[in-house]
Structures are given as C-alpha cells and as structure tokens.
Amino acid sequence: MSEQAGTEPRAPVQGAAAALEGALPAGISSAMDLRGHVRARCDVVVIGSGAGGAVLAAGLAEAGHSVVVLEEGGAYTKADFDLQEATAYPQLYQERGTRATADMAVTILQGRSVGGSTTVNWTTCYRTPERILSHWRQAHGLEFSEESLRPHFEAVERRLSIATWPEQNANRNNQTLGRGARKLGWEASPTRRNVKGCANSGYCGVGCPVDGKQAMHVTYLRDLVAAGGRVLADCRVDRIALTPDGGRARGVEASVLDRASGKTTGATLTIEAKVVVSSAGAIHTPALLIRSGLRDGPVGRRTFLHPVVGIGGVYAERIDGFYGAPQSMASHQYIDRGPDKMGFFMEAVPVQPMLIAFASGQFGAGLRGMMAQLPHLSVLIGLAVDGLLPGDEGGHIEVEGGAGDGGGRIRVHYPISAALRDAMAAMHEALAKVQLAAGAKSAFSLHREPVQLQSEADLPALRSAPYGALEHGIFSAHQMGGAAMGKDPARAVVTPSLRHGRVANLFVVDGSVLPTALGVNPSQTIYGLAHHARTAVLAATREAG
Amino acid sequence: MTTPREAQSGAPASASRRRLLQVGLGGAALLGLGGLGFWLWRPHSARVAPSDLKALDAGAWQILAAVAACICPEGKGFPSADTIGVASRVDALLAGLHPTTVSEIRQLLGLLENPASGLLLDGRIGSFSGADSETQAKILAGWRDSDIAVKRAGFKALSGLCASVYYSHPDVYAHVGYPGPPDYGNVRRKEAGAAPAAPAGPTAVPAEGAR
C-alpha cells in the first residue's frame, strides 16, 4: 500500500465497467481468489452490506454510479443454510456467535455475512416511532418527522414486502405473549415482517432456507448487481485512507480474509473512490473511524444495545417454539414507565436448543432437566430502551492495539446503570406475569440460580433477586449509536444527512448514527435512513465527479 | 475499565463487590496466574487429546474436556460430552476467534486447573481435572457465584461454549425433544445424521397470507 502514499485519485472514469475492468469480479463474489495487492477505482465504496449499506448502494448504482460494497463476512445463498445452529452461528454471526461485552455480561448477536444482520434477523420491522423522533427533535436537534421519513419508509416497505404478519399465523410461543399480555389488560399486537413467500419455518436466525425473508442479499444487493454494482465478500476494511490534510477520504485499504480461519490471506486491496461510506454497523463503524484516526466528535461513545432479559414458561401443552416465525407478536405496554424510568418492550425468541441452552446460564443436571422440556418451553424477552434518560450514555467501543492495523480486537464496554437494573427487574416481573397469565405451569428466570414461580404469589422472590452484570443472562441483538447524527459537531459524528462532520466525502449509513435506542427493532429505521441518505450521497458523488 | 459512572451506579451495600465484577475478563491480572499454572502443571486426565488441535494445546484441551463433561454430563440417556466431541468442537470454534481471546481462554483454563490458584481462590487442594465430578461441579458453581469478576465471567465463557456446542449437536436433539430443522431440499452441505423428517409443527403459510 506504500506505493499509494501521496498520490491523488486519478481523473474519474465514466461507468462501472470502465472503472473496474480487470480489477474486481462482477456481481457478488469472494475476495479470497485475489492475490497480491489489488487496486481498483470506483465512484462510491461502501463498507458493509447490511441494512444501511445495501439500501444506499443499490440507489447509487441505479443512478449510474460505479459502486463497490466490501463485506468482511462470507457470501451465502439459501443453499448454504443447513439450519443447524452449530453451522449458522459460527458462519453468520460476529466472532463466530461468541461476541459479548468485555466483561462478558452482555451477549451480543450481530450478523456477519453478505446481507449483514438482515441475513439472520428475525424480520421484525417498525417505522421509527414518533415518540423517538420527538425526543430526537428536542434533545438532539434532528428534524426528522413521521411525515419527512414517510416516503423513505414507504419505498423500503414496498421493496422488502413489509407487512403485518397475521396473528393466526403466530407460533405458540408468540401466542403466549399475545394471550398473556391481553389477559393482564396490556397492549399486544402482531409485528410487521419483511417476508414474501414465508414458509413459517422458524429459522430466520440461521439463514432463511426459502428466501422468504427479504434480506439484503435477496433484495437490494440484487438490485445493486443488476445495476452493475459489485459486492466483494471476505474483505475487511482496515482503514479509510485520507488526503494528507485529512479533509477528504481517498478510498479504503482492505485485507482479504480466509473464510475458514478468519485470518488474513496476505492479499490486500486499495480502492480509490470519490465517496466513502461506512455501513459496518454500530460496533465496526466506530472502530473503523477510530482505526482511521477519525476521532472527531463522540465517536465510539453512546453505544446502545436494547439490553434484553428473558423469562421461560413451562407449559403442559407443546409449544414447539423452535418452529414458526420466531417473532410475530409484541407488547409495548411498558414503553413509557415515567420520566425517570427506562421503558421496555416485550417480544418472543426462537426456542431452538443452542440458543436456549446458552441463554439459560445453567449447567450439569439442572441444564439437562430444563432442556428436556424444550418442546413445552416458551421464552419471552424484554428489551430495555437505553439512551433516552438524561445522563444515560450507554456503552463505548474500544479498539485494542491502537490505530492502523485492522487486526486489533474490538471491545464493547457497557456498564449496567441503576436505571437499567431497575428496568431489568421490571422486565422480569412483567414477563413472568405474562407467562403465568398465559397458562404456564411455572415460570423461571435466567438468573445464576433461576427464580422459579408457580403463581404471582412467588413474585416477591423475583423482585428480591439480584439484577446486574453476570447475575442473569443479558443479551443484545440491536446495536445502535457510536457515530451519532446531529447538528452540533461536539455531540455528533455525522450531520443529519449522514455526512461526516469534517471529511466532506465520507458518510456513515448504518445503526451507528442513531442518537438513542429506538424502542422498536431497528432494521427498518436503518433501511429508511439509508434511503434518506441516498440524496446527499448522490450529490456528494456528483460534486466530486 | 471502571469508569466513574459505573462506580456510582452500584448500590452502596454491594459497591465493593460490583467494583470487583467490573474488572472484566480481559483486564484481570489473575489470568496471568492461570498462564503460569498452565506451564507448571500437567492436567490429570485419562483423555488423550487429538493430534490435530487448532487453537488449544493438549493440556488445555484436557482441562476443557473435563469442564465439558461437567457442564454436559452423561446420564438419563444423554450422550457424554466426550462422545459428542465437545472439547474438540470448541477448539475448532476458538480457532476462528481473535488470538487475544484464544490466549485468554487458555489462561482461564490454566487458572481453573492450577492447584495454586485453586488453593488461593477456591480454598481447594489439587487440580480441577484431578477432582471427582461432584467436586468439579462445586468448583464450577463456585466460579459462577464468585465475587471475583474473572471467575464469574470465566464460568460464563467456558460453560457457554460447552453448552452451545453440546446442545446444538444433532445426536442430542432427540433427548431434548427437538425434531431438528425440516429439510427444504435445497441444502448443499449437511452433516451426516442431521436431516430429520419434516416437522409436525407449523407448516407453510401461503405467501399472500402474509399481506
């Protein structure tokens, strides 16, 4: 890469094919076939192929620009998905499915393949709620409204076939949530899902076997490829290359990864681009900015996780929660718990053996006894809405080993605040009530020593149980923040157009721009914001051209 | 790694314990003790490590195999962790992780095994792998409930790896009443014995039903 030092990008080349001819293969391909040092040039290089990168990249390619999307994970199709958890988590998730906060308190599920987390998410889609947009207007100087975002949401809803999943199709695990909540007089509604021809298999989390889920690799990335764009898998961006004055991005420098070992093959790439977009997600985008020396603003800070806790229910009848759309009912009864309280919402999970065995935190005969009841188990979760309370700064991202090399380990630090502990206790109680109201013979927590409940009379034991790091299972499937958007450069990394505050031809288009958690599953907000960002990125590409 | 914010957030009664917990897996000097023990001690194990280990060496593999047998014990018809090959499967998984993480796992296994750290931290005599299964279970429960961050986090890491690998193996499915994933007929690559019949559970919903 030293041969690149100090050189300026050459004059722009018209058209995708001309810019890239001879350098990179067309369509979606693996970088593992590349040898030595490869140089390529394009209009826009997008780092990451998930909810943000894919929606943005497709729009840019359709507007006639040459676009290269780089993805550190592998490229897969439905034929690769054997629906075994033992295959899927190492293959399709970050850190082979073992990602956690540095103190091991929060298990982090995050996708890592072409399509990003959309390849493995549970399909739940919501528009950004007005109460969040209103908070952003008041506390973060953002001017988004339901009306201003509507065209973007409508566009992605059409492309991704986002629609309400009929309640009669809910599996019995989700039915327990609906039934229990309503019996308590609480709100519960079917979710909307991005599916078309869904087989109701229950395997969204391990790669959809029928392409029913309208994940990025079967939708926007296909649009991208149809318009001449390229996706290069197994390719980790080590840093964003900047001009000597640091005012503009020149492109990216990347390493090819061997898919099996996860180690670098020795092949490297330099891609020069008019515009660089980081869509690497709320953990890797801040890490990449830090590695690139872009420490402007609160980069890597205010990381939010929608921290999750769970409660199991044991039913006399079969639940078979391993089958059927994993997440199709939700209750937002406690989304607002008052001005000083962290709110939460409740959903369901796939009750598949690896996920449940891990989540239980038990071992030995106790774990075996719980697992032997698997077909009769319901598992429901509460997700805490972090980042809204004054002083709730969430967590932060650290890159070990300093800047430059892409090989430094990324660490997520997430202290458990008093407000979150209170929310976790409240989530446990609400979920236990739902399970019992829905007819569970018993309910149990995921504490080190599970709290067992036969009736609401046992709730005091749950209330007096300890809450906090490594006291019980805590999970995150929603990573947000770390490169927040906003108007004030001291408090934001990117502008409301998602343009970097200092580097004019650098954009961040992923969940890291969210200034707070959302109180709903974040995928559609990211799709919508990426659609919104198309205009500004197109303008920047033309400006640079 | 403890920020002022974290320290303030603990309830006063348990503040000192919470501070301990916040040290975290990677930041604990205790791990160094595990590394030391690892070099000085050879596990007491009749298990023979495979020759094609990818991340661990034979000693660490033997400790891990003892941990796996304790996390996922044989009995009530369930196969043993050795039969499932839990330690070797965890070894293969670890090979894909960051080298620093692998090094921490090795040190953790050393800390668990080392009689010196066992005496110091758990008040026990002898190595982990040399203990009977009842004692091993007590040691692991002691780690799970410990006030020392690295032990509690270490229990979570080791037990989580073993339980995940064991319960995701098709040979265990029947024992937990899981019929396994249905076969959609489009799978290229499938482990032997991992293709159960289509489930009796919910079946296809017409595409238009989703509208």
Side-chain angles (χ1 to χ4, degrees):
Chain A
M1 279 179 228
S2 57
E3 69 199 72
Q4 291 290 299
T7 60
E8 290 298 319
R10 278 178 272 166
V13 181
Q14 296 301 313
L20 293 156
E21 199 173 1
L24 300 177
I28 298 176
S29 63
S30 170
M32 285 194 292
D33 296 332
L34 301 178
R35 296 287 176 273
H37 181 65
V38 176
R39 291 174 57 169
R41 187 178 304 106
C42 60
D43 291 336
V44 184
V45 62
V46 179
I47 305 150
S49 63
V55 174
L56 176 73
L60 301 176
E62 285 167 347
H65 295 291
S66 63
V67 180
V68 176
V69 177
L70 302 176
E71 167 59 51
E72 68 165 341
Y76 303 100
T77 70
K78 63 181 180 182
D80 296 301
F81 301 143
D82 69 4
L83 312 187
Q84 299 289 343
E85 291 173 286
T87 307
Y89 285 86
Q91 185 177 59
L92 301 174
Y93 287 78
Q94 290 290 348
E95 299 186 47
R96 315 247 161 184
T98 72
R99 175 161 280 182
T101 50
D103 64 358
M104 291 294 296
V106 185
T107 300
I108 297 174
L109 292 176
Q110 187 182 26
R112 182 186 188 269
S113 73
V114 169
S117 288
T118 73
T119 306
V120 291
N121 75 14
W122 301 338
T123 72
T124 306
C125 291
Y126 286 92
R127 293 188 184 189
T128 321
E130 168 55 25
R131 63 185 292 275
I132 295 295
L133 297 175
S134 160
H135 178 83
W136 288 357
R137 287 193 294 269
Q138 287 161 22
H140 296 274
L142 292 164
E143 283 160 13
F144 295 115
S145 66
E146 285 182 304
E147 205 45 47
S148 72
L149 289 173
R150 183 191 308 277
H152 304 297
F153 285 143
E154 286 175 350
V156 300
E157 284 161 2
R158 277 193 303 274
R159 181 63 187 98
L160 301 178
S161 302
I162 294 171
T164 302
W165 183 248
E167 195 168 337
Q168 64 267 26
N169 293 345
N171 74 359
R172 286 188 283 276
N173 191 40
N174 281 274
Q175 285 172 20
T176 63
L177 175 54
R179 187 171 67 244
R182 286 169 185 156
K183 221 164 181 175
L184 293 160
W186 299 351
E187 180 277 337
S189 316
T191 61
R192 297 190 315 154
R193 307 179 61 227
N194 57 318
V195 294
K196 187 172 163 186
C198 170
N200 211 5
S201 74
Y203 290 87
C204 304
V206 292
C208 179
V210 297
D211 283 350
K213 176 162 60 177
Q214 298 298 284
M216 296 300 98
H217 67 293
V218 300
T219 55
Y220 281 106
L221 293 176
R222 285 187 182 169
D223 299 346
L224 167 79
V225 167
R230 288 161 161 80
V231 180
L232 200 58
D234 307 298
C235 182
R236 180 189 71 207
V237 173
D238 296 321
R239 64 189 187 95
I240 297 164
L242 302 169
T243 52
D245 66 359
R248 289 190 70 80
R250 296 177 50 239
V252 299
E253 290 171 2
S255 297
V256 177
L257 302 179
D258 174 63
R259 195 178 294 178
S261 70
K263 298 185 172 39
T264 51
T265 65
T268 53
L269 282 93
T270 297
I271 297 189
E272 293 175 358
K274 296 173 190 169
V275 170
V276 174
V277 181
S278 184
S279 298
I283 294 175
H284 290 253
T285 278
L288 177 62
L289 295 175
I290 291 167
R291 284 204 301 257
S292 305
L294 293 165
R295 293 171 182 272
D296 313 64
V299 63
R301 284 182 278 147
R302 288 185 63 84
T303 297
F304 302 111
L305 297 176
H306 269 166
V308 169
V309 299
I311 286 274
V314 184
Y315 288 74
E317 68 272 25
R318 289 183 73 94
I319 301 295
D320 288 343
F322 29 75
Y323 295 141
Q327 205 165 61
S328 64
M329 291 294 293
S331 172
H332 285 70
Q333 178 69 25
Y334 287 105
I335 200 69
D336 184 354
R337 298 174 59 229
D340 303 321
K341 300 272 192 187
M342 193 180 283
F344 64 86
F345 56 114
M346 293 176 272
E347 293 183 335
V349 299
V351 188
Q352 289 168 356
M354 192 201 88
L355 204 57
I356 299 308
F358 176 83
S360 82
Q362 303 304 301
F363 77 100
L367 174 60
R368 196 173 61 197
M370 189 210 77
M371 290 300 292
Q373 306 177 86
L374 192 73
H376 295 271
L377 289 186
S378 157
V379 180
L380 303 177
I381 56 170
L383 302 89
V385 188
D386 46 348
L388 294 178
L389 293 177
D392 181 1
E393 295 293 311
H396 71 275
I397 306 296
E398 175 199 11
V399 183
E400 289 180 346
D405 175 16
R409 187 168 63 158
I410 300 171
R411 304 290 265 167
V412 182
H413 300 278
Y414 191 91
I416 307 294
S417 67
L420 177 54
R421 264 202 294 280
D422 171 74
M424 292 195 296
M427 290 193 283
H428 274 79
E429 179 160 348
L431 293 165
K433 284 179 175 171
V434 170
Q435 292 283 18
L436 294 169
K441 287 192 300 179
S442 62
F444 62 92
S445 73
L446 308 180
H447 278 90
R448 288 182 285 117
E449 304 255 20
V451 178
Q452 303 279 350
L453 305 96
Q454 265 68 46
S455 72
E456 288 208 7
D458 297 324
L459 284 171
L462 194 59
R463 287 187 197 119
S464 62
Y467 291 97
L470 299 169
E471 298 287 3
H472 49 81
I474 310 176
F475 310 86
S476 168
H478 305 159
Q479 298 83 40
M480 298 159 283
M485 56 182 170
K487 277 196 168 164
D488 176 2
R491 295 180 60 217
V493 175
V494 297
T495 69
S497 303
L498 311 192
R499 189 195 290 255
H500 189 266
R502 179 167 57 81
V503 182
N505 63 336
L506 171 63
F507 288 79
V508 174
V509 182
D510 60 24
S512 59
V513 305
L514 302 176
T516 66
L518 299 173
V520 294
N521 307 53
S523 62
Q524 192 178 343
T525 293
I526 301 169
Y527 302 140
L529 286 175
H531 198 272
H532 147 79
R534 282 175 170 187
T535 307
V537 179
L538 277 171
T541 310
R542 290 191 187 114
E543 275 167 30
Chain B
M1 276 188 254
T2 303
T3 65
R5 195 182 145 63
E6 286 174 270
Q8 283 161 13
S9 64
S14 56
S16 63
R17 190 176 58 71
R18 289 231 163 78
R19 268 197 291 278
L20 265 177
L21 286 175
Q22 286 153 8
V23 174
L25 181 57
L30 273 174
L31 278 179
L33 190 57
L36 181 66
F38 189 78
W39 294 112
L40 295 179
W41 281 89
R42 288 285 165 268
H44 295 74
S45 175
R47 295 183 179 91
V48 178
S51 57
D52 59 346
L53 290 172
K54 295 174 178 70
L56 302 174
D57 58 26
W61 180 93
Q62 285 176 317
I63 303 162
L64 180 63
V67 172
C70 201
I71 299 296
C72 311
E74 191 174 6
K76 301 223 167 173
F78 282 71
S80 70
D82 289 324
T83 307
I84 296 300
V86 171
S88 296
R89 290 173 189 274
V90 170
D91 172 69
L93 185 68
L94 293 176
L97 301 185
H98 196 280
T100 311
T101 302
V102 177
S103 162
E104 284 174 1
I105 294 287
R106 292 179 68 232
Q107 290 177 322
L108 205 53
L109 290 165
L111 188 69
L112 179 65
E113 176 71 359
N114 185 345
S117 61
L119 187 63
L120 192 67
L121 301 176
D122 305 334
R124 66 176 153 95
I125 309 287
S127 67
F128 178 82
S129 65
D132 60 41
S133 56
E134 197 179 325
T135 306
Q136 288 177 336
K138 277 188 187 150
I139 294 168
L140 287 179
W143 274 47
R144 180 194 63 194
D145 299 333
S146 174
D147 284 351
I148 300 170
V150 72
K151 290 169 69 179
R152 205 182 276 212
F155 169 81
K156 187 166 178 184
L158 296 177
S159 67
L161 285 166
C162 293
S164 298
V165 164
Y166 180 85
Y167 285 99
S168 62
H169 194 281
D171 289 353
V172 178
Y173 289 171
H175 303 286
V176 301
Y178 176 46
D183 186 354
Y184 287 92
N186 59 353
V187 171
R188 245 180 236 158
R189 190 166 39 81
K190 198 171 285 174
E191 281 186 46
T203 49
V205 172
E208 301 320 308
R211 292 297 168 292

